[in-house]
Structure formats: structure tokens, C-alpha cells
Amino acid sequence: MALSKKQQNWISKNRKLSPKKIAEKLNLEVEEVTAFLDAHPVKPVPKYFYLVMFIIPIIFVVVLELSLRVFDYGDDYQQWIPVTEKVNGLNPYIGKKYFTKTKALPESIQDTFDKKKKDNAYRVFVLGGSSAAGYPFMPLGSFSRYIDQRLKHVYPNNKIEVINISLTAINSYTIRDFVPGVLEQKPDLILIYAGHNEFYGALGIGSMESLGTSRDMVNLILYLNKYRITQLVRDFLSWSITLLASDDEVKSGTLMSRMAEDQSIPLNSDTYHAGIEQFRENLRDVIEMVQANDVDIIIGNLASNLKDQSPFIAKETEDLPSAVEVYGKAQSELNNGNLSSADSLFRYAKDLDLLRFRAPEKFNEVISDLANQYNFPFVSIDSALSKNSVDQIIGDDLMTDHLHPTLRGYQIIGDAFYTAMHYHNMLPKSEPTIADLGTQDSITVSNFYFSKIDSIIADYKIKLLKNDWPYLKDPNKKLSSEKLLNPQNGIDSLAYKFVVDDVPWIEIQQETADYYLINGDINNYVNQMKLLIYQYPIIPKFYEKAVTDLIAREHSKPALKFAEEKYNISPDAFSTKWIGIILLSENEITGAEKYLLESLDFNPRDEQVLYNLAGVYVQKKDYETALEYSNKALAIKPGYQAAKNLKAQLTNALNK
């Protein structure tokens, strides 16, 4: 009997059933079902079908990624950006890659380097967190600036580039992510001082920015963050979480107070060990990448305030004593003169502190073990600071707070790194102009670029830090910024503007220079302009401002130095003009002629240069050439009275 259309359709849709089952369902003979299935075999799926199914989602992802880029959605997380045509620097927005819940992003100290490394260049990269960046003395007070200035004193014939890309509140995840980009820039040496932020820094296991405990997953997400699709998904999730969060869950205050999510991480807990493992394995990855590229590396171990920083959060357990109890015993041992015992107890109290803003001693063991395993030098920053501390136990004499050194402390750290660079033959290959290490250090310290306002700013930053959690346990005792800082004079007020009103450092430093200039304090004005130029050597207007301001006030000697510095970096019409004019005023005729003629090559229609060249030839008694240049100056500016007077004198002299 022929199968009905309905039976045929049912069999086709249920081919996965056995012929016997189909026959039972439709009350048919098995032979009839088998005959139909044999007569209507399933057509094989074309191979291109699977290819199309594979390609379609790829095309969708590519089109979506390109569309997001075209419409400028998200951020460009390229590590380096052009600062000028020839100079690169760290992307100031790269912090967004690591901080998704924090609005105030940390910034680097804005070091730059040549896009094309010069043959005589010696290039060092410095990586770490706020202690490596130099907080609270940023940007001028970091240990990297000490190293930079010392290298420039000792190796003046080398192009010294010490590039500090450290960021506040980052940890080993960010350092690991930075290293491939650093290696692309052909460094001669990499210095690392990091570890205090391992638990609460961006992506740390106890941080509000944590992405979990899986290192592979976190590093994969960091890699994928460069794609706009990843940023789209991340932003959607952040937006969703924001909708569900209550106002009480939105944190305010210092970055330090906002970053700590898990405020109780006991010694030897699972979270504690996960943080150590995270630090060890990320650091291992960094070392292996660096050594695979045959680049030198030095890692400093960690130091913190032991003697004068009581534990932030303490709790006694069945297995462990209270951190506060141990800290008290340490103080007793110190008062009794038992320094070694006191030091050990202070370190144990720090490790028992449940709030892990200071790296545990285990981190220094990790650094030492890795140095031995991979045969690279590590520097005991802890020993260097202890050696220079009262009672040889690190305290407030070299620490501004729980772990950030004083300015002198940073210089000691810089000297420790530099000494290691010397003994491990990691300095420039050219001959040093100063051989003695002690002399190098004393010259660097005595000529260190720093200013009064930067000291006040640092003091204000620490006061604000300690006016918040965890230093201040009761929020009701928090003072207003005005009452806490209480500025007394013009410089204090400028420092206040910087730390409270978030006026950029560069603007505050310019205002400070103008303050000194208006008040007739030329020495401090000159020093302030030197600081600005040291920080921003690629900004021409600072050289020009210094020269113009000083010439207007008849301070030609310091003006000449600024003009010469600008000339050495990049000769132009301005620098050659003023070098020539100042040399002429000092009766150095040969030099004046050279630079003024060079200035004409840049700008042949500068009447002031032409007039001064006329003065050069008057001094050389070449009155005809002097008259020629006077006429050229008047042709450009007919009302130029000084040129008119000189022309009249020269005409009379030639007609006699």
C-alpha cells in the first residue's frame, strides 16, 4: 500500500528513529518504512556550509570591531603615543585598561624618549607603583630622577634616557602587561620596584578592581582589552552593576581608601597565599620575557615603615597573636635597646596587619628566590634604608607614611640601584667623567632638581592621605581641606590649588615662577624655570619665556644659559638670536657674529638681528658692512629709531 503524504512527512522528520519504531508509530510494515527510507536518502550537507557557518561569526565580530572604531567607541590602549614628531611617551589614558571602576586615573611622571634610539643612547625603563613613581614628590622626587641626573653628570657624552612608567595603585599584572611594549623600545636596562600594591592594586585579589584569582584569565582579559568589543561588553557589565549598586556602595576619598575591597586578609589565609602566588608568577613571566630579549634587569626588594606605623587592622585568632600586641612588644624591645629583636617583631607585626597595604616579608623572599633561580641582580632597598635609619629600623625619618619614602629616602633608593648597576657592569660603556661613587652621589644630591613648592605639595598630600581611612578610623573627625592645610602665603596657596583644586602640575609650576618674578626673586625664578625645563625639555616656550623675562630685567647671564640649552636641543631663530645679542653685549664679537648670522638663516627678516649684526661690524671697524645691515633693518622697520641713529653715525663716519 502506498504511503500517504502525511506519513511520508512524518517519517522524514523522524528519521533518527529506527524503522521498527516508525512502523509501530504509524501502524505500518517495517519493509514499507525501510523501502521509503532507502528511496529517499538524506542529502549530505555541502562542505562549504560548514565553512560559511565558521566564517559568518568571524565576519560579524570583525565588522562590529571596525564599526566601533569608526564611530570612536572606547579607548585606544596603545602603550606609546607621539608627544612630538620625534619623541614618544606613555599613553596618559592607559590607566583605563586596568581601572574600570575608578574615575580618577593614575598618571605617569611624563617621561619621554626618542622614537628612534640614538647610537650613543643609554635607555633605562623603571616600572612599579606609587613608590617607584615617587609619591608624594611626583614628578621630580622619584628615585628614577636621581638615577637620571647622576647618569647625566657622569656620562655627559651619552644620550641618557631614564623613562619611569610607574603608576599609582597598579601591581604585577600591569607591569607584566607593560613589559612587551617596553622591550620593543630597545632598553639597555629595566629596573623594577613593586609589590606593595599586590593585594589592593588594580586587578589585585583584594582590590575593588579584582577580576578573580585566575592569573590566566586576568592576563587574557588584559590582552583582549585592546579590542573595542571587549570594552563594549565591559562597559555594559559596569553599567549594569552601577544600576544595581546603592549610593552607599559608591566610595569616595583617596585612591588608597577606595581600592581596598577585602579589608581583612589574615596571614597564611587562602587569599594571602593567592596574592603571593600572583606576585611570584607574574614576576616570573616578566623576568623570562626580559631575559629572552637579552636585556638587563634589576629588581629591588621592598621596604616599608616598620617602627612608626602601627598596624591598621588587628585581630587575635586561635593560631596568631594580634598585630597590635606584637607591635607593642616591638616598641618595648626598642626602648630596651634590643634592636635586632625589635626589628624582627616590627616585621612580624606588619605581616599580621590584616589590611595589606604593606607587602609581607614573603615578597622579599620571592624576589630573592627568583634572582637566584634566574641569575639576575636584586637590590636590597630594605637594607639600604635600614642602614640609613635611626636605630637601623625604618621609620618616619625616611618614610612619609606607611611605605612612601621621604625625598632623602628616594635618593638612597636611587643610589642603591645605581651602585648595583655599577658593580654588575650595567652602566654606559663610555668612560665616566667622575670615577668615585661617593663623589657622584654627593654631586647629584647637591644639584638635585627640586623646589620649595614641591616640598609643600608633598606635605599637603600626606596630610590629606592621613585625613582619610585607614589612618582616620572615625569619618566624623575628618577635617576640611582648608582647615587641615591652612595655607599661609602665596606659595602655600599655589600648592593648595594643586592638591585640592586639581590644577595641573605644569600650570602651578608656571604660576610659581611668575610669583617669584613679580616679587623680584630672580634666583628662585631661575631655579623654577630650570625645573620646568628639566621636566618638559621638549616644550620650547619655557626656554623662550626664561630668556625673554630675564633679558627684560637685565639678567643676561642666566638668560644666555637658557638660550644655549635651547640651542643644544634644537637650534632655531630665537636661540641663535639671543645668544648672539648677549655675546655682543659682553663684547664677544666672534661668537656674536657666528650666532647672529646663523639666526638670519632661520629668519632673514628679523630687524633686531640685522641691527645687532651692524653693531658687530662696528666693533670690527667694518663701517660699510655695518651701514649695509643698518639699511636692511630699516627696510624692514622704517621707524626703528636705534637703527636710524646708528645709520646717521655711520654715514657721518664714512663721509669724513
Side-chain angles (χ1 to χ4, degrees), residues 410-430:
Y410 280 121
Q411 292 172 345
I412 292 169
I413 293 174
D415 180 57
F417 270 113
Y418 189 97
T419 302
M421 292 157 62
H422 169 79
Y423 283 115
H424 292 280
N425 296 315
M426 294 179 179
L427 290 168
K429 303 307 178 188
S430 55

Side-chain angles (χ1 to χ4, degrees), residues 369-411:
D369 290 345
L370 289 173
N372 291 329
Q373 181 181 348
Y374 289 93
N375 193 30
F376 69 87
F378 83 93
V379 177
S380 182
I381 301 304
D382 181 54
S383 297
L385 290 176
S386 295
K387 180 181 177 182
N388 287 275
S389 298
V390 176
D391 301 318
Q392 295 193 340
I393 302 174
I394 302 172
D396 284 346
D397 51 323
L398 289 179
M399 287 287 171
T400 61
D401 54 22
H402 57 297
L403 57 84
H404 297 105
T406 62
L407 184 63
R408 180 61 191 139
Y410 280 121
Q411 292 172 345

Side-chain angles (χ1 to χ4, degrees), residues 629-644:
Y629 278 106
S630 296
N631 286 329
K632 287 181 179 180
L634 289 167
I636 294 168
K637 186 179 179 181
Y640 195 166
Q641 191 58 50
K644 283 183 178 180

Side-chain angles (χ1 to χ4, degrees), residues 18-186:
S18 68
K20 183 179 179 182
K21 284 281 187 184
I22 294 173
E24 289 175 356
K25 289 280 186 183
L26 299 179
N27 196 22
L28 296 172
E29 296 292 333
V30 175
E31 290 78 8
E32 288 181 286
V33 175
T34 303
F36 176 81
L37 292 172
D38 291 342
H40 299 84
V42 178
K43 294 181 180 179
V45 178
K47 291 183 179 180
Y48 67 81
F49 175 81
Y50 296 104
L51 180 61
V52 170
M53 293 300 291
F54 176 75
I55 290 175
I56 285 176
I58 294 177
I59 292 174
F60 173 78
V61 169
V62 171
V63 170
L64 179 57
E65 176 71 19
L66 292 176
S67 299
L68 291 171
R69 290 176 183 266
V70 167
F71 289 101
D72 200 27
Y73 180 84
D75 298 292
D76 186 352
Y77 291 144
Q78 62 176 327
Q79 192 162 338
W80 314 113
I81 61 167
V83 179
T84 68
E85 185 180 345
K86 297 181 179 180
V87 171
N88 276 346
L90 185 69
N91 182 348
Y93 301 108
I94 200 166
K96 289 184 178 182
K97 188 176 182 182
Y98 313 102
F99 296 85
T100 60
K101 302 175 186 176
T102 304
K103 291 184 178 179
L105 295 174
E107 296 180 356
S108 72
I109 62 174
Q110 300 179 316
D111 288 331
T112 58
F113 57 94
D114 291 334
K115 289 183 182 179
K116 184 178 180 181
K117 187 179 179 183
K118 291 182 171 58
D119 291 339
N120 69 334
Y122 177 72
R123 181 171 288 180
V124 182
F125 277 90
V126 177
L127 293 90
S130 56
S131 295
Y135 180 90
F137 303 99
M138 299 157 64
L140 296 176
S142 65
F143 70 79
S144 66
R145 291 301 175 85
Y146 169 95
I147 294 170
D148 176 74
Q149 292 175 46
R150 184 163 172 177
L151 286 168
K152 286 173 178 174
H153 285 307
V154 179
Y155 297 95
N157 296 323
N158 286 89
K159 170 71 174 180
I160 301 299
E161 295 176 311
V162 180
I163 307 108
N164 190 332
I165 57 172
S166 304
L167 297 176
T168 300
I170 60 97
N171 60 19
S172 62
Y173 278 120
T174 301
I175 294 171
R176 182 189 183 279
D177 196 50
F178 273 173
V179 164
V182 168
L183 293 170
E184 290 173 1
Q185 305 307 321
K186 302 177 181 178

Side-chain angles (χ1 to χ4, degrees), residues 216-354:
D216 291 337
M217 181 58 69
V218 174
N219 287 320
L220 175 62
I221 292 172
L222 284 179
Y223 173 77
L224 294 176
N225 265 347
K226 65 183 178 181
Y227 297 108
R228 306 303 169 92
I229 293 175
T230 309
Q231 295 179 43
L232 177 65
V233 173
R234 185 191 68 188
D235 292 347
F236 175 76
L237 292 174
S238 297
W239 173 76
S240 301
I241 293 170
T242 302
L243 289 180
L244 297 173
S246 66
D247 292 338
D248 293 338
E249 291 174 310
V250 179
K251 291 188 176 183
S252 60
T254 64
L255 184 58
M256 174 182 171
S257 67
R258 295 195 304 270
M259 289 298 291
E261 185 76 14
D262 186 350
Q263 297 174 7
S264 180
I265 302 177
L267 183 67
N268 297 326
S269 64
D270 290 343
T271 304
Y272 172 85
H273 286 298
I276 293 171
E277 186 68 11
Q278 167 187 302
F279 180 67
R280 177 191 291 110
E281 296 311 310
N282 281 339
L283 210 54
R284 186 191 305 279
D285 288 349
V286 167
I287 295 162
E288 289 179 353
M289 284 189 280
V290 171
Q291 292 189 339
N293 284 268
D294 198 26
V295 173
D296 288 329
I297 183 171
I298 302 176
I299 299 179
N301 73 5
L302 299 157
S304 57
N305 192 336
L306 300 171
K307 182 171 57 180
D308 298 313
Q309 179 58 63
S310 60
F312 288 114
I313 299 177
K315 183 180 179 181
E316 185 177 353
T317 67
E318 292 181 4
D319 302 324
L320 297 168
S322 163
V324 170
E325 177 188 342
V326 174
Y327 183 77
K329 291 180 179 178
Q331 289 178 311
S332 297
E333 290 295 296
L334 178 64
N335 292 335
N336 292 328
N338 301 323
L339 301 185
S340 177
S341 176
D343 182 76
S344 297
L345 286 168
F346 279 127
R347 292 178 188 275
Y348 187 34
K350 176 199 67 174
D351 283 2
L352 288 168
D353 190 345
L354 297 177

Side-chain angles (χ1 to χ4, degrees), residues 201-222:
L203 309 175
I205 195 168
S207 167
M208 66 176 290
E209 298 281 356
S210 176
L211 293 176
T213 60
S214 171
R215 269 197 342 109
D216 291 337
M217 181 58 69
V218 174
N219 287 320
L220 175 62
I221 292 172
L222 284 179

Side-chain angles (χ1 to χ4, degrees), residues 484-541:
L484 177 71
L485 304 181
N486 190 25
Q488 297 293 308
N489 53 46
I491 299 298
D492 288 353
S493 297
L494 289 170
Y496 183 91
K497 282 176 65 176
F498 174 76
V499 298
V500 176
D501 299 333
D502 290 328
V503 177
W505 186 88
I506 188 172
E507 292 183 21
I508 290 298
Q509 298 297 326
Q510 290 179 79
E511 289 185 39
T512 303
D514 290 337
Y515 174 87
Y516 287 132
L517 189 67
I518 291 169
N519 287 279
D521 189 345
I522 298 301
N523 286 337
N524 272 323
Y525 171 80
V526 168
N527 289 334
Q528 199 66 29
M529 293 308 298
K530 285 180 178 179
L531 295 180
L532 269 169
I533 288 170
Y534 174 66
Q535 175 64 21
Y536 301 107
I538 59 176
I539 299 181
K541 72 175 183 179

